[in-house]
Amino acid sequence: MNESATILSLDDLRVDFDTREGPVHAVRGVSWSLAAGQTLAVVGESGSGKSVSALAVLGLIPRPPGRIAGGRIAYRGQDILGMDAGELRRLRGNRIAMIFQEPMTSLNPVLRIGEQIAEGLRVHQGLDRPTARQRALDMLRLVQIPEPERRLDAWPHELSGGMRQRVMIALALACGPDVLIADEPTTALDVTIQAQILDVLRDIKTRLGTSIVLITHDLGVVAEMADRVVVLYAGQVVEEGPVRAVLRRPTHPYTLGLLGARPELSSRSTGPRRTRLTEIPGTVPSLREPIIGCAFAPRCALASARCRAEAPVLEARGAGQRSACWHADQMEIPV
Amino acid sequence: MTAQRDPTAALAWLAGNARRHPGIAVGTLVLAIMVLVAAAAPWIAPRDPSQIAPLQRLQAPGAGFWFGADLIGRDVFSRTVHGARISILVGLAVAATSLSIGLLIGLLSGFVRWVDALLMRVMDGLMAIPSILLAVALIALTGASLGNVIIAISVAEVPRVARLVRSVVLSIREQPFVEAAVVAGTRFPLLLWRHVLPNTLAPLLVQGTFIFASAVLTEAILSFIGAGTPPSIPSWGNIIAEGRVVFQFAPHIVLFPGLALSLMVLAVNLLGDGLRDALDPRFVSRA
Amino acid sequence: MLSHILRRLLATVPVLAVVAVVVFSLLYLTPGDPAVVLAGEQASEDDIARLRIALALDQPFLTRFGLWLSGVLQGDLGTSVFSNRPVTELIAQRLEPTIALTLAALAIAVALALPLGVLAAARAGGMLDRTVMSLAVLGFSMPVFVLAYLLIMLFSVKLGWLPVQGYKPIAEGLWPFLRHLALPALALGLAYAALIARITRTAMLEVLNQDYIRTARAKGLSETAVLVRHGLRNAAVPVVTIVGIGFALLISGVVVTETVFNLPGLGRLTVDAILRRDYPVIQGVTLLFSALYVLINLAVDLSYGLFDPRIRR
């Protein structure tokens, strides 16, 4: 297997949020790594810690009340958490960029589109106005915005959600970063627009070779876009591996549940279509108290006494997959 | 929805809020002390405020005269303490007057369409005139007396109250529970009493505290420039105005009532701020 | 865009009309004989009779109002009872000190309040925030004349750096002009600053919670750029609004400050008029300041379009 250089890695990251009623442990020891040119999907439901772990990379977690409680984040081997404000700023938008879930509110309403894209270029690359403007135009073309010359001087409120998200992508990639972190980029958009945005991202991937961390709760998106996937639950990694392997043969009951809960329309699946949405019963546990044993145990059909007493660790399952479950081998995968 | 609580619950809720909003606690405490001092003025003041002692003119603050003596030997402390009564009286009177009249106009405006446009135009016009000048003009025409001062300041404060009440009425009118009540045949006075008025209580209370502060301040300014209470009344503005000429060598005449004035306005502003935060509907719904 | 401006301009007409009616009517709505009031205390019976004819007191209200209004629009604000000069002339004489004071106070207020408000919001809950907010409530509660006297005590009496009172027109030299203007402008400016700082902080807090601030940070912009270019520009609308509304407070502050520091401006003109029972002057100044207030709020209103492109349509 080709060992590409690891460009971004999280190592046992822990993030807490201090609230009036005590700290909430949003991320409880998450590790994943992104290889150059790869697309890594980080999957989980709300509250799994997927967004928080990504925000931590660029130091965008509001502090207070957020707090990095432990772990390491490394970009090209260099520790990000230890960086001072200046170094971090040189990283943001320049080497590592991020786009967010809500395109409608992520752009500054009082500045023109072109200015917002050019801003990063002028700050990081010291370009003068005309050059930066030209580059911004190129970026708009890259993300396939129609009539880019006109749009340069448009205001955000004149654009639709899909267009704004494209602008966000253009903005993020303006300085040519190695890594793009996309936090649920299509969740707030219509299904048809979603497909367009994913096309743009795929195009970026092929043309620029950008490494992408794609955070999502949609396994369909994972299947389309990602090379590797990491599944988070209650602030911890429960499964990870190559996408095809994990989706074909999940080795954790939660992943299986996610697959079962996914509305299946297309002929993309190899097996008979599911006719019913299976819901995973129960809810995510409270992240305030330390969790004893497996976090998923209360909702798991395979849970045993051991599961409730002892937290499972990530173990290799073959084909590059790893999962944290005492009963992975007892899982029945409906085909 | 309709604010019908029993008084003990309201009191407990207020006490709980006081802890979370120190502004209310501090403001109320300072204000309460000042009110008590003012009320007890005749007994606390060592001398009659108009008692002249020419031999001790302009004496500095000390054992004999706690806040010093003014140009004709009157005790500044006694005058200041009595002045507190005037300020509180003006504050309360203006607040009561402007709140009542504003309430009436606001209700009228909110419920009677054809009169709304006219009334609001007039209110807008009134608000466009800087209140100090409006008060000055009115006092110039009617003469300086305590009553006229109260009326003049109230006139300036009414438009804002009217607008406030009107907006509450307009927003309440659209609510489904009001429509339901109307459909159920509830008569207008009951509608007013049950649904509209309770919702105006909180904003009016907050507005009232700010009006109090503003009125105390305005009266002091008016008296300072000679368009306020007549010189025979020891209002703070008057005392300060009298002390102006000798400020450079006898600053105590200006400073003590000035500081008392600042303290009172500060206390009321803190109270008002705290009340506004505490009574914010977003917070109330959580309770 | 032009039609927007025109429409807004036209919208001020009814308000100005009401102001004119109110200011005009005060004389007639209050008890007492208008002719006697306007004639002043020194007037004789003949003067009063003549005045009654000049005022057309026997004519219906609308006619009188029309006469007065047409005079106003031609620049005739009446005649001072005390000095027998046209009110307009008196006002013109006193403009410079008031304008100087107002502009200086405004400059001080904005220069202090904006940065402090922005920083307080950026470090919400911290030491700076609490200090600024406490000082702001204090500045807002302390009457301008008390603040003025405190400043005089410190800078003039104790330290002797600045004159206690008085005004030197700019024609007599820049330095004396500034020396005499410093304390009054400071007193007024601090009070105004307190108001602006509070609103700036509140507006900024709201803005800093928005997603586009996170985007700006994610782009690697400096904290200053984030706060000012992305934050403050969006908070501009409420801040500018309060600057407009605060102008009314500024006017009362001007009256008081000119009295304390003996500046020969419009505020002092008003106070003197009160003393001399010179109603036409009071009426004239009131009308002027009200019209100015309306126009300033119009300017504020129009400026929204500058700050927020969404409002332009």
Side-chain angles (χ1 to χ4, degrees):
Chain A
M1 188 153 157
N2 211 2
E3 262 303 332
S4 305
T6 302
I7 205 168
L8 182 66
S9 68
L10 259 62
D11 194 2
D12 194 35
L13 181 68
R14 288 166 197 282
V15 179
D16 288 345
F17 284 88
D18 293 316
T19 66
R20 245 205 301 220
E21 295 91 1
V24 173
H25 311 290
V27 180
R28 306 183 298 121
V30 166
S31 310
W32 49 250
S33 60
L34 176 70
Q38 205 185 56
T39 300
L40 174 73
V42 179
V43 172
E45 57 194 295
S46 340
S48 57
K50 58 190 194 303
S51 286
V52 176
S53 52
L55 285 171
V57 173
L58 283 183
L60 292 174
I61 297 179
R63 297 182 252 192
R67 202 178 15 108
I68 308 280
R72 196 171 175 274
I73 302 180
Y75 169 69
R76 291 184 184 274
Q78 204 193 355
D79 180 28
I80 293 183
L81 292 177
M83 284 187 185
D84 63 38
E87 295 174 298
L88 196 55
R89 252 183 276 131
R90 275 192 288 277
L91 210 60
R92 288 172 177 169
N94 199 16
R95 305 260 57 88
I96 305 178
M98 191 158 175
I99 61 176
F100 305 95
Q101 183 175 345
E102 313 88 348
M104 296 305 274
T105 50
S106 291
L107 289 171
N108 191 337
V110 303
L111 291 176
R112 297 184 200 265
I113 302 292
E115 279 174 42
Q116 299 193 46
I117 301 178
E119 211 176 1
L121 287 165
R122 305 220 343 257
V123 165
H124 290 299
Q125 295 179 0
L127 299 181
D128 59 35
R129 272 194 191 231
T131 323
R133 194 182 154 84
Q134 185 55 47
R135 274 285 287 163
L137 189 58
D138 295 336
M139 294 312 299
L140 286 181
R141 292 209 180 96
L142 181 72
V143 296
Q144 298 159 42
I145 284 198
E147 294 182 276
E149 296 87 359
R150 206 162 65 91
R151 302 284 194 220
L152 261 190
D153 291 322
W155 304 101
H157 67 269
E158 294 172 347
L159 299 175
S160 67
M163 297 277 245
R164 289 191 219 189
Q165 195 62 303
R166 288 183 206 238
V167 169
M168 285 296 294
I169 297 174
L171 197 147
L173 297 174
C175 300
D178 300 323
V179 178
L180 174 66
I181 304 178
D183 187 358
E184 306 223 41
T186 55
T187 306
L189 301 169
D190 283 340
V191 177
T192 42
I193 311 291
Q194 275 189 32
Q196 291 175 12
I197 297 297
L198 293 177
D199 280 341
V200 170
L201 285 176
R202 239 198 311 269
D203 190 52
I204 300 290
K205 205 174 114 159
T206 11
R207 277 217 257 167
L208 302 180
T210 318
S211 320
I212 303 178
V213 178
L214 182 59
I215 299 156
T216 177
H217 61 264
D218 186 341
L219 288 175
V221 169
V222 175
E224 274 191 60
M225 299 286 302
D227 302 314
R228 283 183 66 84
V229 62
V230 168
V231 182
L232 293 187
Y233 184 77
Q236 286 178 319
V237 176
V238 295
E239 175 150 23
E240 62 174 2
V243 164
R244 295 200 81 94
V246 172
L247 292 186
R248 276 241 179 83
R249 204 186 138 266
T251 54
H252 192 282
Y254 179 59
T255 317
L256 183 63
L258 282 182
L259 282 166
R262 181 170 62 108
E264 182 74 67
L265 249 199
S266 67
S267 52
R268 221 176 285 153
S269 65
T270 52
R273 280 191 307 127
R274 305 204 157 279
T275 48
R276 229 181 40 189
L277 270 181
T278 42
E279 217 185 75
I280 311 177
T283 51
V284 183
S286 158
L287 296 171
R288 283 185 202 285
E289 295 96 38
I291 297 173
I292 304 176
C294 174
F296 189 59
R299 302 167 79 179
C300 184
L302 301 176
S304 68
R306 185 183 187 202
C307 300
R308 282 182 270 272
E310 203 184 329
V313 294
L314 285 169
E315 295 171 46
R317 310 278 173 212
Q321 267 176 279
R322 298 204 299 165
S323 68
C325 179
W326 298 129
H327 305 290
D329 39 342
Q330 289 149 27
M331 280 176 55
E332 277 174 23
I333 320 289
V335 170
Chain B
M1 293 203 281
T2 57
Q4 308 226 304
R5 320 166 193 263
D6 69 297
T8 46
L11 214 63
W13 168 86
L14 201 68
N17 263 298
R19 216 172 304 122
R20 255 174 300 165
H21 299 277
I24 300 186
V26 171
T28 317
L29 189 63
V30 173
L31 202 56
I33 296 178
M34 294 189 93
V35 168
L36 283 172
V37 168
W43 298 278
I44 294 184
R47 291 178 190 73
D48 182 276
S50 21
Q51 186 185 12
I52 300 173
L55 290 176
Q56 278 104 347
R57 309 176 42 223
L58 300 177
Q59 196 165 88
F65 293 85
W66 294 341
F67 284 359
D70 75 358
L71 291 97
I72 48 180
R74 293 177 293 192
D75 179 18
V76 175
F77 178 74
S78 306
R79 286 176 72 73
T80 306
V81 161
H82 274 93
R85 304 182 120 199
I86 310 290
S87 293
I88 293 174
L89 176 64
V90 170
L92 286 175
V94 169
T97 313
S98 53
L99 285 179
S100 347
I101 300 182
L103 180 63
L104 281 171
I105 298 182
L107 285 176
L108 199 60
S109 217
F111 282 112
V112 185
R113 287 279 161 91
W114 59 268
V115 115
D116 178 32
L118 178 68
L119 274 178
M120 281 305 113
R121 281 274 167 269
V122 173
M123 293 297 119
D124 282 342
L126 272 176
M127 279 200 286
I129 306 177
S131 48
I132 199 86
L133 293 175
L134 185 59
V136 164
L138 282 170
I139 301 274
L141 290 169
T142 56
S145 78
L146 195 56
N148 288 340
V149 167
I150 293 174
I151 295 175
I153 304 177
S154 302
V155 169
E157 296 286 349
V158 161
R160 243 167 294 267
V161 178
R163 285 213 145 256
L164 184 64
V165 172
R166 173 182 179 270
S167 68
V168 170
V169 169
L170 287 182
S171 66
I172 294 289
R173 273 171 63 169
E174 311 300 312
Q175 300 279 357
F177 67 85
V178 170
E179 286 181 23
V182 169
V183 163
T186 316
R187 302 240 306 283
F188 187 72
L190 196 61
L191 199 74
L192 213 61
W193 180 253
R194 265 277 186 85
H195 298 288
V196 177
L197 288 180
N199 279 289
T200 59
L201 274 178
L204 281 183
L205 184 62
V206 174
Q207 187 72 359
T209 55
F210 289 131
I211 293 179
F212 183 97
S214 169
V216 167
L217 213 46
T218 308
E219 180 274 318
I221 294 178
L222 286 174
S223 301
F224 179 69
I225 61 178
T229 49
S232 56
I233 297 182
S235 71
W236 286 336
N238 280 338
I239 305 175
I240 298 176
E242 287 158 10
R244 272 183 65 201
V245 276
V246 293
F247 176 70
Q248 285 187 57
F249 42 92
H252 55 269
I253 308 175
V254 165
L255 287 181
F256 282 112
L259 289 174
L261 180 60
S262 310
L263 197 61
M264 179 175 283
V265 175
L266 181 64
V268 178
N269 272 333
L270 281 177
L271 179 60
D273 268 353
L275 273 178
R276 184 184 49 202
D277 288 340
L279 291 174
D280 189 318
R282 285 174 293 180
F283 297 170
V284 170
S285 56
R286 231 191 279 154
Chain C
M1 178 65 163
L2 198 61
S3 64
H4 174 77
I5 299 180
L6 235 68
R7 249 181 298 128
R8 284 277 179 238
L9 201 63
L10 276 159
T12 63
V13 172
V15 182
L16 287 171
V18 175
V19 169
V21 171
V22 170
V23 173
F24 177 72
S25 317
L26 285 179
L27 182 58
Y28 300 98
L29 288 174
T30 48
D33 188 339
V36 172
V37 172
L38 285 184
E41 308 200 309
Q42 315 288 37
S44 63
E45 278 297 325
D46 290 329
D47 293 332
I48 298 177
R50 247 181 291 133
L51 200 53
R52 239 188 269 275
I53 300 175
L55 283 176
L57 280 180
D58 49 335
Q59 304 277 14
F61 182 81
L62 276 175
T63 321
R64 282 182 269 146
F65 180 61
L67 274 173
W68 176 81
L69 189 62
S70 66
V72 166
L73 291 173
Q74 288 169 45
D76 175 16
L77 287 171
T79 312
S80 158
V81 158
F82 178 77
S83 63
N84 251 317
R85 314 215 57 81
V87 173
T88 325
E89 184 186 304
L90 290 173
I91 289 180
Q93 277 175 349
R94 313 285 197 117
L95 268 181
E96 189 194 309
T98 303
I99 293 180
L101 178 60
T102 314
L103 289 179
L106 190 58
I108 292 179
V110 169
L112 272 178
L114 281 188
L116 285 178
V118 168
L119 285 174
R123 309 208 183 129
M127 226 4 349
L128 179 72
D129 184 20
R130 271 190 289 235
T131 317
V132 168
M133 280 303 107
S134 311
L135 286 177
V137 170
L138 192 63
F140 180 53
S141 308
M142 185 176 277
V144 177
F145 54 95
V146 175
L147 187 58
Y149 280 119
L150 285 175
L151 286 174
I152 293 178
M153 275 223 12
L154 180 60
F155 288 106
S156 301
V157 178
K158 281 253 158 62
L159 295 174
W161 290 349
L162 296 165
V164 172
Q165 61 172 27
Y167 177 76
K168 285 276 185 290
I170 205 168
E172 289 183 26
L174 188 62
W175 185 236
F177 169 74
L178 286 176
R179 278 191 81 228
H180 280 88
L181 198 60
L183 279 185
L186 193 61
L188 199 50
L190 283 178
Y192 207 13
L195 192 62
I196 300 179
R198 265 160 67 103
I199 261 291
T200 305
R201 174 189 179 270
T202 309
M204 280 296 291
L205 277 180
E206 181 90 33
V207 164
L208 288 177
N209 266 328
Q210 299 299 314
D211 289 337
Y212 52 80
I213 296 294
R214 186 178 53 181
T215 306
R217 290 213 174 98
K219 282 201 280 197
L221 300 178
S222 70
E223 198 59 19
T224 316
V226 171
L227 287 177
V228 179
R229 195 163 141 83
H230 291 266
L232 194 54
R233 273 189 77 151
N234 278 283
V237 167
V239 174
V240 166
T241 308
I242 208 76
V243 170
I245 294 178
F247 188 72
L249 291 170
L250 197 61
I251 293 176
S252 87
V254 161
V255 170
V256 165
T257 312
E258 288 186 10
T259 310
V260 170
F261 290 98
N262 226 346
L263 306 173
L266 292 175
R268 260 276 306 279
L269 180 65
T270 314
V271 175
D272 290 341
I274 296 169
L275 219 58
R276 298 165 185 160
R277 306 192 65 85
D278 195 347
Y279 187 72
V281 171
I282 296 176
Q283 190 187 62
V285 172
T286 303
L287 194 61
L288 178 70
F289 273 126
S290 305
L292 196 60
Y293 186 51
V294 172
L295 288 175
I296 287 185
N297 277 300
L298 173 67
V300 165
D301 205 317
L302 290 176
S303 78
Y304 293 156
L306 258 172
F307 293 117
D308 193 337
R310 292 170 290 189
I311 298 183
R312 287 194 199 165
R313 13 213 74 240

